[in-house]
Amino acid sequence: MTITHSSDGLGTTGARRGTSSLRRLLARFESLRGLALLAPTLVILGITVIVPFLLMSAMSLWTQIGFDYADDWSVRNYTTILSEPLYTTLLLRSLGMAMAATLLTVVLAYPMAYFLAFHVHRNKLVWLIIITLPFWTSYLLRVFAWRVILGYEGVINSGLMEIGLIAEPLNVLLYSRTAVIITLAHAWAAFALLPIYVSLEKIDKSVLEASADLGEGPVMRFFRVILPLSMPGVIAGTFLMFIPTVGDYVTPALVGGPNAQMIGNLVQLQFGTVNNWPMGAALAITMILSITLVGLLFLGLMYALRRWAR
Amino acid sequence: MIKRHEFHKPNRALQLYAAFFMGLLYIPILFIPLFSFSSGLYIRFPIEGWTFQWYAQLFERTAVLRALENSVRVAGSVAVVSTLLGIFAAKALVRYRIPGKGPILGFILLPLVVPPIIFGVALLLMVSTLGIPLSLYTIAAGHIIICLPFAIATLLPRFEGYDAAMEEAAADLGENGWYVFWRVTVPIILPGIVASLLLTFTVSFDEFVMAFFLGGNDLTLPLYVWGQLRIPRAFPVVLALGTLILLFSFALVFLGLKINKRGSIKIMDRE
Amino acid sequence: MSDETMIALRNVGKRFGTFRAVHEASFNIRRGEFFSILGASGSGKTTLLRILAGFEAATEGEVHIDGAPMDAVPPHMRPVNMVFQNYAIFPHLNVRDNIGFGLRKLKLDKAERARRIDEMLELIKLPGFGDRQADQLSGGQRQRVALARALILRPKVLLLDEPLGALDKQLREQMQMELRALQRSVGITFVLVTHDQEEAMALSDRVAVMAEGRVLQIDPPAGLYERPVSRRVASFVGSMNFLTGRVLSEDGGISHIRIAEMASARLPTSQLAGAGRTPCLAIRPERIAIHAKPPAGQGLPGVLKDRVYLGERTQYLVETGAVDAPLVVSVPNTAADAALQTSGAQVWLSWDDAALIPMTEN
């Protein structure tokens, strides 16, 4: 009798106290009661997400002239973005750096997720909490920590000089793309790790026994069973990390130099010193579109790989 | 119960790697507290001496205390609002047949992934179009977008985790919807509520990007820290402040995740 | 509607989208009766119970409880209480507070509340368990607490949703007896939903058999067993053999029926109403006699296919030309019959015509 059990709980009682027509209506249509409970959330998200987003799309079609906006609709901002090397370079660089950071994190996180899924038997929850803990806390401070480490007189330089390995501080550490990539990788590690862990944890242990029973050694077992089964987690982790990092601007602002600025910094500039909001809106939307595009390409690639692998 | 799987006997190499990974994760952060006790003005080795003076200075700065107060007010109200919304939304999503449930949940959880700068500038556009002045309220509005997914993801497993018959039983024993909610639903999901409050408070308390775009003249703590980062001489005090913020945040989040048991880990599984 | 009637259902139906979970249920449940609804999962029995409790709204028809229409009455206003399938013991409350949960509205003083709870603890034979937490209780104890929690409100009707399903066999049999005794002592109308026919038979004054949303038959246990109206009811309650007959003649209210060209029977024509000219005749395994030699009267010859020893009885499978499936014959083990021990042996079957039950409905 699963049909009846999965149905409703307190709703039936809660909404049907009286006999007013509204209550009868709500009692009759269960989904209405559910939507009534969801309504505050949906209204707030509508006002704070959907309306602003539509507004931003509209404004991206305006053009800034001095302190005013031109009163015609045009795609001028977008053609500028696509034709000016400054914008395209920054956009491609952001995608590239986010990809590099994502790749680095996924590669580093996979063995850790594997360890957690298969080798941690006690206090698993505490392990998971400790790994995710930094993720929840101040992003700004975690980025700042890398500035402390990579700075001209920072931990690495002064440490290396202290033990006499180098005489002069290395200039390449801070304000480089590498610095941004390392910092991003560190800051988002938990986001990439958890989906991988979850997909590994879900693997039925008897499947592993079966593959051993069928004569596969540990290495082939990994490549023929564990890795394919954990691919959904890897893909999810990749997306979870890639998407937000493309738009990051705190990290480039703090540890990236002029050559490591990202699209997020450009957006921020348009809303700050440059004060060209329509351009900022257009850049933000271009960012979303390019993330979507890369995401689709990635999914297509994964799909092709899977077909090829068969 | 501990069940050692035959295939997974302790693996020395993996254990070493795990230690390396945890080091990678935590050591960079630990430099903040380490140098906050260094008496030198510059962050570098060798550490000349140890001091508490940066912490003492911290409490002399009224700007810090004001920012702290602002942050607590914003984070407190954001935590309460997003948890309340989360309770209703999670209940609706778990207990009712709603058309388009999947897409609705996806939409609510979207801010977990989409770069916050997008929401930040979009909201800024609307707020300034409407002529609403930037203030702690606009920051809070931005934070609710970011905190709602966490609240709902924390509370959903709570509702999924107990039998709807509990609420039916209470109704059957004569309680109307309001009392069913207070006498049965709330006590049962209480760990989820507490966890949601703690987690959303921390997320809002530490949030920078939204606050950066939507903040007015009143600074929150992360905004204050950001301002100080341009002044190298202020670094030691920032380190002291950062240490306290990290300590506080870690404690709240640890408590929240611990109270909620496995629920929060599921958050990431929902994408 | 007479005073005898506690619950009246009139054409009650429930649809979930296009799926009809309950179809035109119309029957009465008497005051003080122990009434069971028996059916497989998916038969609509739980939906029917939830309609009585008010958790589901009937899409068609009417429900009256103690003469009052229940159409717009929400669960918390109904004079019924329920024992849930998994008991739904509140995990955050101890036994006392679980049992006393429904007393809040009565605004009793502390002493009276405590007295009533103690009384219930006494009734369910768990005195001294009041301070236990929900998770410290065994399955049987949870079931008792759920009973006490519902009975403390002195409902007009107690609804029980598979109350013994979660218990192991031994405990289940013990609880059946206790439940029956409890119902006798409190005198409340019990409506129980179960998929276990033995449970329904052992407990109930009357049983309604449901399948695919329809009520097939309502009768006391003996009537259900002795006079099932259709093959579906018959096969649901105990095991049954089915034979196909052909009415040869009718004479003075007695029909002469030929069974598979090998045997014949005489049955009152009145019993055959609705069964047609080629009635399906059912017979219980224990009503068939098995013989190693041809019996004195008529005997249906067959070959012994298998023999299963079941302790208090032995079950024989006999292949005859009369029906496709082998007939099941059940013989009490009062004395071992050595002659019948080899399979493949020639045997003869006989029965009293009165043991034949014509199936009058599909």
Side-chain angles (χ1 to χ4, degrees):
Chain A
M1 298 259 51
T2 47
I3 311 147
T4 54
H5 264 271
S6 63
S7 58
D8 58 349
L10 133 95
T12 327
T13 30
R16 224 170 27 174
R17 186 185 318 157
T19 49
S20 73
S21 56
L22 177 68
R23 286 193 183 284
R24 270 178 195 245
L25 191 73
L26 288 174
R28 186 64 49 99
F29 296 103
E30 191 194 311
S31 49
L32 275 184
R33 274 176 286 141
L35 285 174
L37 279 175
L38 262 180
T41 300
L42 293 180
V43 167
I44 285 186
L45 285 183
I47 294 172
T48 56
V49 174
I50 295 179
V51 174
F53 195 81
L54 293 176
L55 208 63
M56 186 166 79
S57 311
M59 190 182 259
S60 74
L61 299 173
W62 300 352
T63 315
Q64 183 98 23
I65 302 171
F67 288 105
D68 236 326
Y69 301 129
D71 55 0
D72 61 330
W73 302 90
S74 84
V75 290
R76 245 167 292 170
N77 292 325
Y78 291 99
T79 48
T80 312
I81 292 170
L82 292 177
S83 56
E84 288 264 348
L86 168 72
Y87 295 120
T88 41
T89 313
L90 222 55
L91 193 58
L92 290 176
R93 184 198 289 160
S94 303
L95 294 172
M97 283 165 66
M99 246 181 259
T102 306
L103 190 70
L104 182 64
T105 305
V106 169
V107 168
L108 285 176
Y110 195 99
M112 187 64 203
Y114 184 94
F115 175 77
L116 275 176
F118 296 119
H119 290 272
V120 174
H121 307 285
R122 264 174 298 177
N123 300 326
K124 220 168 202 172
L125 178 68
V126 175
W127 272 91
L128 284 167
I129 290 177
I130 288 173
I131 285 180
T132 42
L133 210 48
F135 163 77
W136 292 87
T137 53
S138 179
Y139 184 60
L140 191 62
L141 288 171
R142 279 179 289 143
V143 177
F144 176 60
W146 282 97
R147 186 161 170 160
V148 168
I149 294 165
L150 302 172
Y152 185 71
E153 291 202 301
V155 170
I156 294 184
N157 274 335
S158 60
L160 289 178
M161 281 163 67
E162 177 72 10
I163 56 173
L165 271 175
I166 52 171
E168 287 281 298
L170 301 170
N171 242 330
V172 294
L173 293 176
L174 196 60
Y175 304 131
S176 68
R177 286 177 208 172
T178 320
V180 175
I181 290 169
I182 290 175
T183 306
L184 285 176
H186 177 253
W188 294 91
F191 230 37
L193 185 140
L194 274 175
I196 302 176
Y197 162 76
V198 169
S199 66
L200 284 168
E201 181 69 35
K202 271 191 206 151
I203 296 177
D204 186 351
K205 304 293 181 282
S206 64
V207 172
L208 301 181
E209 287 172 339
S211 73
D213 183 57
L214 295 169
E216 290 291 21
V219 176
M220 286 316 284
R221 226 157 42 215
F222 176 79
F223 283 106
R224 289 192 62 189
V225 181
I226 297 177
L227 190 60
L229 284 175
S230 63
M231 269 327 264
V234 173
I235 292 172
T238 306
F239 271 102
L240 281 186
M241 179 167 168
F242 175 73
I243 298 171
T245 45
V246 173
D248 189 38
Y249 80 95
V250 176
T251 303
L254 281 181
V255 303
N259 290 324
Q261 295 299 294
M262 291 168 72
I263 191 80
N265 304 90
L266 197 57
V267 173
Q268 189 245 306
L269 275 180
Q270 306 299 319
F271 285 90
T273 33
V274 175
N275 200 16
N276 185 345
W277 286 26
M279 183 51 103
L283 279 169
I285 286 173
T286 310
M287 183 204 297
I288 297 171
L289 292 177
S290 48
I291 290 173
T292 314
L293 188 69
V294 172
L296 289 176
L297 284 176
F298 176 72
L299 273 186
L301 184 73
M302 281 295 142
Y303 182 70
L305 267 178
R306 250 178 79 184
R307 292 195 59 168
W308 174 79
R310 275 180 196 163
Chain B
M1 191 189 69
I2 304 153
K3 189 185 165 224
R4 285 271 153 106
H5 201 271
E6 189 212 335
F7 296 121
H8 297 285
K9 299 180 188 102
N11 179 326
R12 183 60 59 188
L14 262 178
Q15 284 172 351
L16 281 173
Y17 183 81
F20 163 73
F21 187 92
M22 297 309 276
L24 226 50
L25 202 61
Y26 272 92
I27 288 172
I29 304 169
L30 290 177
F31 281 114
I32 292 180
L34 178 71
F35 281 103
S36 74
F37 297 109
S38 159
S39 57
L41 197 53
Y42 301 100
I43 303 168
R44 66 180 172 210
F45 288 118
I47 290 172
E48 294 155 18
W50 304 99
T51 178
F52 279 105
Q53 61 162 319
W54 312 122
Y55 288 88
Q57 279 190 25
L58 205 55
F59 293 99
E60 288 161 12
R61 298 192 180 189
T62 47
V64 173
L65 297 176
R66 216 168 32 238
L68 174 66
E69 192 198 326
N70 290 339
S71 278
V72 169
R73 276 167 56 193
V74 170
S77 30
V78 166
V80 170
V81 171
S82 46
T83 300
L84 274 179
L85 291 174
I87 292 171
F88 295 135
K91 181 177 159 58
L93 289 168
V94 174
R95 291 280 187 260
Y96 295 90
R97 306 180 204 115
I98 295 171
K101 194 182 272 191
I104 290 176
L105 183 61
F107 172 63
I108 295 174
L109 295 184
L110 208 57
L112 275 181
V113 187
V114 174
I117 191 173
I118 305 275
F119 296 110
V121 299
L123 206 51
L124 171 65
L125 277 175
M126 184 180 80
V127 166
S128 65
T129 306
L130 295 175
I132 299 168
L134 296 178
S135 65
L136 293 179
Y137 292 102
T138 45
I139 295 179
H143 282 182
I144 285 175
I145 306 177
I146 293 190
C147 290
L148 251 176
F150 289 113
I152 287 177
T154 308
L155 288 159
L156 267 183
R158 287 281 146 191
F159 279 99
E160 282 165 352
Y162 76 97
D163 196 344
M166 296 292 171
E167 285 159 353
E168 290 181 346
D172 185 67
L173 294 169
E175 293 296 17
N176 64 32
W178 179 249
Y179 276 101
V180 171
F181 182 71
W182 282 109
R183 294 189 68 193
V184 175
T185 312
V186 168
I188 292 179
I189 64 166
L190 195 60
I193 295 177
V194 175
S196 169
L197 285 172
L198 290 172
L199 295 174
T200 51
F201 182 93
T202 317
V203 169
S204 167
F205 187 80
D206 285 347
E207 206 282 337
F208 169 70
V209 179
M210 286 286 190
F212 179 80
F213 283 102
L214 298 167
N217 293 325
D218 289 328
L219 299 182
T220 60
L221 268 185
L223 289 177
Y224 177 82
V225 168
W226 175 259
Q228 297 297 300
L229 287 183
R230 292 186 209 152
I231 316 160
R233 292 181 61 87
F235 275 17
V237 177
V238 171
L239 289 169
L241 180 57
T243 304
L244 294 180
I245 293 176
L246 283 175
L247 208 64
F248 177 64
S249 307
F250 272 53
L252 286 192
V253 173
F254 187 84
L255 207 63
L257 293 177
K258 191 85 180 150
I259 288 172
N260 200 32
K261 298 270 162 53
R262 301 198 78 86
S264 314
I265 306 304
K266 275 193 179 169
I267 292 171
M268 309 296 171
D269 194 20
R270 295 194 166 269
E271 296 310 310
Chain C
M1 202 176 299
S2 72
D3 278 350
E4 283 291 286
T5 304
M6 177 54 89
I7 298 175
L9 292 103
R10 292 290 163 266
N11 298 317
V12 171
K14 174 72 182 177
R15 291 167 200 263
F16 294 101
T18 55
F19 175 70
R20 300 187 86 161
V22 177
H23 199 92
E24 286 179 6
S26 292
F27 57 89
N28 291 343
I29 296 172
R30 294 173 200 142
R31 201 174 289 278
E33 184 171 37
F34 199 130
F35 190 90
S36 291
I37 304 174
L38 174 65
S41 71
S43 61
K45 59 186 192 301
T46 300
T47 306
L48 201 52
L49 194 75
R50 290 170 62 83
I51 288 173
L52 294 180
F55 297 127
E56 304 282 355
T59 39
E60 292 125 39
E62 293 172 13
V63 176
H64 291 253
I65 297 177
D66 203 17
M70 287 292 124
D71 176 36
V73 183
H76 68 275
M77 309 285 275
R78 293 193 180 204
V80 303
N81 286 117
M82 183 150 165
V83 174
F84 286 79
Q85 186 166 22
N86 295 312
Y87 312 136
I89 302 296
F90 301 122
H92 58 294
L93 300 178
N94 65 16
V95 168
R96 292 193 75 85
D97 290 338
N98 259 288
I99 294 177
F101 187 90
L103 295 179
R104 184 190 64 85
K105 282 180 131 179
L106 303 184
K107 302 208 161 55
L108 306 173
D109 62 48
K110 256 189 173 166
E112 172 63 9
R113 185 185 137 91
R115 196 191 61 75
R116 287 221 198 162
I117 294 173
D118 286 335
E119 194 181 281
M120 291 318 293
L121 283 168
E122 208 62 54
L123 185 72
I124 58 169
K125 300 187 186 113
L126 287 178
F129 278 70
D131 296 326
R132 293 274 182 106
Q133 283 298 316
D135 57 8
Q136 293 173 306
L137 298 176
S138 70
Q141 290 165 344
R142 295 170 80 85
Q143 201 256 2
R144 289 160 198 243
V145 172
L147 263 172
R149 187 176 71 177
L151 285 174
I152 200 170
L153 294 174
R154 296 162 191 169
K156 288 176 178 166
V157 179
L158 185 74
L159 307 172
L160 304 104
D161 186 4
E162 301 265 10
L164 308 175
L167 308 178
D168 60 45
K169 192 175 183 324
Q170 223 173 350
L171 192 55
R172 198 158 60 220
E173 280 167 8
Q174 185 198 336
M175 287 307 297
Q176 276 179 15
M177 301 212 285
E178 286 188 20
L179 207 54
R180 179 81 201 162
L182 188 70
Q183 197 263 341
R184 289 277 151 76
S185 70
V186 295
I188 290 172
T189 308
F190 276 32
V191 180
L192 177 138
V193 151
T194 180
H195 66 277
D196 182 341
Q197 50 112 350
E198 273 181 41
E199 187 174 305
M201 306 287 256
L203 288 170
S204 321
D205 296 317
R206 285 193 304 153
V207 180
V209 180
M210 276 189 85
E212 286 166 23
R214 289 171 194 272
V215 177
L216 302 178
Q217 186 173 355
I218 301 176
D219 262 315
L224 213 57
Y225 189 80
E226 302 291 343
R227 289 281 151 206
V229 296
S230 65
R231 286 185 71 140
R232 280 162 84 180
V233 174
S235 53
F236 206 99
V237 183
S239 68
M240 188 67 104
N241 297 297
F242 297 102
L243 306 162
T244 309
R246 185 160 53 86
V247 178
L248 294 180
S249 62
E250 287 173 33
D251 182 19
I254 299 291
S255 291
H256 186 213
I257 301 170
R258 190 105 186 119
I259 299 169
E261 313 305 325
M262 291 173 176
S264 64
R266 287 171 185 280
L267 287 176
T269 306
S270 57
Q271 282 185 14
L272 287 163
R277 301 301 294 172
T278 53
C280 173
L281 301 170
I283 185 163
R284 295 283 176 195
E286 69 272 17
R287 306 298 291 270
I288 303 178
I290 188 165
H291 314 272
K293 296 179 181 116
Q298 66 167 329
L300 184 64
V303 177
L304 186 61
K305 299 300 283 184
D306 200 2
R307 170 183 175 281
V308 185
Y309 180 73
L310 292 171
E312 83 276 20
R313 65 200 162 89
T314 300
Q315 191 168 294
Y316 298 94
L317 277 181
V318 179
E319 193 87 69
T320 67
V323 268
D324 297 338
L327 291 178
V328 181
V329 180
S330 179
V331 180
N333 285 332
T334 45
D337 194 340
L340 289 175
Q341 288 199 2
T342 41
S343 59
Q346 178 78 43
V347 294
W348 285 264
L349 305 177
S350 68
W351 57 76
D352 185 349
D353 283 354
L356 291 170
I357 314 161
M359 302 286 96
T360 51
E361 288 174 25
N362 284 323

